[in-house]
């Protein structure tokens, strides 16, 4: 024990020394001493990233040791450390390194050329104890179960914890899977699919860092509470170039959480909505019922339906998005109007043979049209510049526009811009269908040039250029860095980290995307995500049995084959590490009712506490909930009350997906079951959030699927044994 404590203490000494060295390098670069500005900038960024990595090593730096058959041994930890005198000699292996894999997959039957696996139990920087497993012998000591059960039995905190010290063999296989396309990880409640996916991200960033870190990784979750719950896992593994979003965040500047009803969500989630959007845009490209007069200084001309139709056909024929095709529409209308105006103004004295006079008059008339408010108003009426929000908001708030677009009337709402989660992929799609205003693009280009001019001035000042600068200095300033490049560097460098830049950029593309609770995503959700990842590198996490959304996946192939035909693989997790057997047996009865072909995951443990139920009257419900809350208040860990939408003091099951709590109270399960076609899946989710204790309060008849609950109806008193 003493030698192990000394070795781990030595690792912390190395960690502190490395951190002190990197901090000195960071301070020197930040202070502007040594090297060129570009070199210092690179050093600042590299040092900051290394400091983050070293800081994450403090908690559980070293958690195990592997001994080979030849007597050699290696230590496994959260990060890798090397001997200062020989930087190629590891003194601590990163858990993601190939040489560390045996720590997770070696068994008595398949020892992977290892003799022993040792697991440390630590508090802070101190090694308290260790357990050994002798490999390759059927009578070897059992290691892993003790460490694993200690981890899963521990009270839950505010967020998900990493499992770097207790990764199981089936999990490790998925984490290290070498597949460039889409990996689907399916598993029932408590199987660890989310945390496995996050560790897979950390592994990919370790093995493919140069390819992945420039564009980062996107993690998509079902709601902000879930993202907050998992948000600490990757930073605890030393990875920070990760963006966390819900599907409601995928359009920059548009954060929504409201949900449509089942039918509206189904319609908006289907790819058929693309036809509705196209028709809605075409409907805004109008023809005048009566000719629209444009009163010029010398003559009045009119835009008639025939002219507008010709211009519309020419504009549509360009294949450009709506806003960009407006230029062609305007060009044709302007041509016709100026031709008519010239013919009337020059009647009797101007002929087409007088090309100079004709073109001179055309130029004057074009300038006049360009400033003419009436002409601009006519164009806006016939071919308006549209934003995604304007088009969609006006579509959903108008029954007539919905009818003309061939949309179902159920999509109507009084406030067209009361955005829902299902609207987000539609708004994103419209960015491409509508395009940009060329005038805005021209303004952006002018701003870019202005930034470049400013950056050029900065370069001149940096290198002491004055009017008398000689040619050599001028070449030095020019060759050092183009002004346009410097301008772009200023824009990216000033204040924003990768996550901030990615979240603000609709066109940002990621090297890898993790999609959790993926069974809830619609066809339109997948369309927007595929645009964000041209390389089609995904880790998809879900459980089809827990699908709630009518627009969600009924099979993985149905959703993925259109985008990655033959490039997706499926893996399943079957062991339940979260839900004890007593609770899982109750949840399994509910699962059997609505998904009889799905096998529930097998729990690895029992907690010794039977889940209970109690019937209460309407006037007793609030007091019964408070009794549960008070009973849990004095305990270590977390608790929650889950109920149907609208019940005071409860949280809907949909908002607890992916979360876990030591104790759960489910209220009115009969109402949850009755709440729509996916009520049974909602109840299944609610029942499987608990890691230790489960209670159920019901006002009506207890559903038959819950007959296995203990009818004693008494919360476990504080201080009772938590485990067996």
């Amino acid at each position: 024990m003493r030698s192990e404590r000394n070795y781990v203490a030595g690792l912390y000494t190395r960690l502190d020394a490395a951190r002190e060295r990197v901090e000195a390098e960071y301070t020197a670069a930040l202070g502007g001493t040594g090297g060129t500005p570009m070199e210092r900038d690179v050093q600042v960024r590299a040092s900051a990233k290394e400091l983050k990595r070293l800081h994450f090593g403090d908690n559980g730096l070293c958690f195990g040791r592997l001994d080979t058959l030849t007597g050699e041994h290696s230590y496994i930890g959260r990060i890798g450390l090397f001997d200062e005198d020989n930087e190629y000699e590891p003194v601590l292996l990163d858990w993601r390194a190939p040489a560390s894999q045996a720590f997770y997959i070696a068994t008595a039957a398949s020892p992977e050329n290892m003799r022993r696996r040792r697991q440390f139990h630590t508090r802070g920087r101190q090694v308290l104890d260790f357990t050994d497993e002798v490999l390759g012998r059927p009578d070897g000591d059992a290691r892993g179960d003790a460490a694993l059960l200690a981890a899963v039995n521990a009270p839950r905190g505010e967020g998900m914890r990493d499992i770097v010290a207790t990764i199981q063999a089936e999990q490790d296989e998925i984490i290290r899977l070498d597949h460039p396309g889409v990996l689907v990880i399916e598993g029932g409640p408590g199987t660890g699919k989310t945390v496995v996916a996050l560790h897979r991200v950390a592994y990919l960033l370790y093995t493919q860092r140069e390819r992945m870190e420039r564009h980062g990784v996107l993690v998509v979750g079902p709601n902000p509470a879930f993202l907050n719950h998992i948000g600490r896992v990757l930073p605890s593994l030393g990875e920070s170039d990760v963006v966390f979003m819900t599907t409601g965040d995928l359009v920059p500047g548009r954060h929504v959480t409201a949900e449509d009803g089942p039918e509206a969500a189904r319609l908006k989630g289907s790819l058929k909505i693309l036809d509705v959007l196209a028709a809605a845009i075409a409907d805004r490209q109008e023809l005048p019922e009566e000719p629209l007069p444009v009163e010029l200084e010398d003559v009045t001309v009119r835009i008639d339906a025939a002219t507008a139709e010709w211009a519309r056909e020419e504009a549509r024929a360009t294949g450009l998005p709506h806003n960009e095709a407006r230029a062609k529409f305007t060009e044709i209308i302007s041509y016709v109007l100026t031709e008519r105006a010239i013919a009337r103004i020059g009647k009797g004295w101007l002929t087409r043979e007088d090309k100079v006079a004709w073109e001179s008059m055309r130029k004057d008339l074009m300038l006049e049209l360009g400033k003419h408010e009436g002409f601009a108003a006519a164009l806006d009426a016939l071919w308006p510049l549209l934003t995604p929000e304007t088009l969609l908001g006006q579509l959903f708030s108008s029954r007539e526009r919905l009818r003309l677009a061939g949309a179902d009337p159920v999509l109507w709402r009084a406030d067209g811009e009361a955005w829902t989660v299902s609207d987000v992929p539609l708004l994103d799609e419209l960015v491409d269908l509508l395009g940009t205003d060329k005038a805005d693009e021209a303004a952006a280009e002018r701003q870019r040039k202005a930034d470049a001019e400013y950056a050029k001035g900065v370069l001149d000042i940096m290198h002491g250029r004055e009017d008398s600068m000689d040619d050599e200095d001028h070449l030095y300033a020019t060759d050092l860095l183009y002004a346009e490049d410097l301008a772009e560097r200023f824009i990216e460098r000033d204040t924003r980290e990768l996550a901030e830049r990615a979240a603000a950029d609709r066109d940002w593309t990621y090297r890898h995307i993790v999609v959790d609770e993926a069974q809830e995503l619609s066809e339109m959700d997948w369309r927007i995500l595929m645009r964000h990842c041209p390389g089609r590198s995904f880790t998809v996490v879900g459980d089809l049995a827990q699908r709630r959304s009518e627009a969600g996946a009924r099979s993985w192939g149905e959703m993925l084959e259109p985008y990655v035909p033959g490039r997706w693989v499926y893996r399943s997790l079957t062991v339940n590490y979260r839900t004890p057997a007593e609770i899982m047996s109750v949840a399994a009865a509910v699962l059997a009712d609505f998904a009889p072909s799905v096998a529930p995951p097998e729990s690895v443990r029992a907690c010794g506490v039977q889940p209970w139920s109690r019937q209460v009257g309407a006037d007793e419900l609030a007091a019964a909930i408070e009794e549960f809350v008070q009973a849990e208040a004095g305990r270590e860990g977390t608790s929650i009350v889950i109920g149907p939408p609208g019940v005071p003091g409860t949280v809907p099951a949909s908002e607890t997906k992916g979360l876990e709590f030591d104790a759960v109270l489910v209220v009115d399960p009969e109402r949850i079951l009755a709440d729509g076609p996916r009520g049974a899946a909602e109840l299944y989710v609610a029942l499987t959030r608990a890691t230790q204790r489960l209670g159920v309060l019901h006002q009506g008849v207890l559903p038959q699927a819950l007959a296995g609950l203990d009818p004693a109806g008494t919360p476990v008193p504080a201080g009772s044994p938590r485990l067996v």
Side-chain angles (χ1 to χ4, degrees), residues 394-563:
Q394 292 177 355
L395 174 66
F396 288 155
S397 61
S398 169
R399 289 186 172 90
E400 178 63 12
R401 289 196 186 279
L402 285 170
R403 184 186 66 81
L404 293 172
D408 193 300
V410 76
L411 297 181
W412 179 87
R413 62 189 182 215
D415 183 356
E417 296 194 5
W419 306 116
T420 68
V421 172
S422 303
D423 294 330
V424 170
L426 278 59
L427 291 168
D428 182 77
E429 189 73 33
L430 285 168
V431 173
D432 289 335
L433 293 176
L434 294 175
T436 58
D437 180 3
K438 289 299 183 181
D440 290 343
E441 285 190 357
E445 178 63 17
R446 288 193 296 272
Q447 183 62 50
R448 189 194 67 79
K449 290 182 177 179
D451 290 341
E453 285 296 320
Y454 173 78
K456 183 174 180 294
V458 172
L459 281 176
D460 292 343
I461 293 171
M462 286 167 59
H463 299 291
R465 177 176 179 178
E466 298 178 353
D467 292 340
S468 60
M469 176 185 271
D470 59 30
D471 290 341
E472 183 179 352
D473 288 333
H474 176 73
L475 287 172
Y476 175 66
T478 302
D479 291 343
L480 175 67
L481 188 65
Y482 287 109
E484 289 84 352
D485 293 338
L486 181 60
E488 291 179 3
R489 284 169 60 79
F490 282 162
I491 291 171
E492 290 191 1
R493 184 181 64 183
D494 282 345
T495 58
R496 300 185 300 173
E497 296 292 334
L498 180 143
E500 294 176 293
R501 287 185 280 124
D505 186 351
R506 182 259 175 184
D507 295 320
W508 189 276
T509 58
Y510 298 89
R511 287 292 182 261
H512 191 78
I513 296 180
V514 176
V515 186
D516 211 323
E517 298 295 340
Q519 73 278 355
E520 306 297 345
L521 270 62
S522 69
E523 291 177 313
M524 288 298 293
D525 290 327
W526 280 110
R527 187 174 171 89
I528 184 175
L529 287 175
M530 290 293 173
R531 265 200 299 269
H532 278 294
C533 190
R536 303 293 196 261
S537 178
F538 284 77
T539 299
V540 176
V541 180
D543 179 10
L544 294 178
Q546 296 185 55
R547 179 180 62 83
R548 172 176 173 267
S549 172
E550 283 298 301
R554 286 165 173 77
S555 77
W556 299 117
E558 177 186 15
M559 287 297 186
L560 298 174
E561 275 295 321
Y563 300 104

Side-chain angles (χ1 to χ4, degrees), residues 322-396:
H322 170 85
N323 289 336
E324 296 171 27
R326 174 179 156 125
K328 175 58 73 173
F329 182 82
T330 302
E331 176 188 324
I332 299 297
I333 296 290
S334 300
Y335 171 79
V336 172
L337 294 188
T338 54
E339 283 288 303
R340 290 173 179 173
I342 294 170
R344 294 178 59 184
I345 294 171
K347 186 177 182 181
W349 63 271
L350 181 63
T351 65
R352 285 191 176 274
E353 283 70 26
D354 191 352
K355 294 183 179 179
V356 174
W358 193 283
E359 290 303 321
S360 177
M361 188 176 294
R362 181 192 298 282
K363 182 178 180 181
D364 291 340
L365 287 169
M366 291 292 287
L367 290 173
E368 186 176 356
L369 283 175
K371 300 176 182 178
H372 198 284
E373 293 182 0
F375 181 60
L379 290 177
D380 288 340
L382 301 177
W383 196 290
L385 287 170
L386 297 169
T387 66
E389 291 80 5
T390 299
L391 179 80
L392 206 60
Q394 292 177 355
L395 174 66
F396 288 155

Side-chain angles (χ1 to χ4, degrees), residues 682-703:
E682 289 281 85
L683 181 57
Y684 181 58
V685 169
L687 294 171
T688 53
R689 298 306 96 194
T691 66
Q692 305 294 344
R693 299 174 295 281
L694 172 69
V696 173
L697 296 176
H698 58 104
Q699 298 183 73
V701 177
L702 188 69

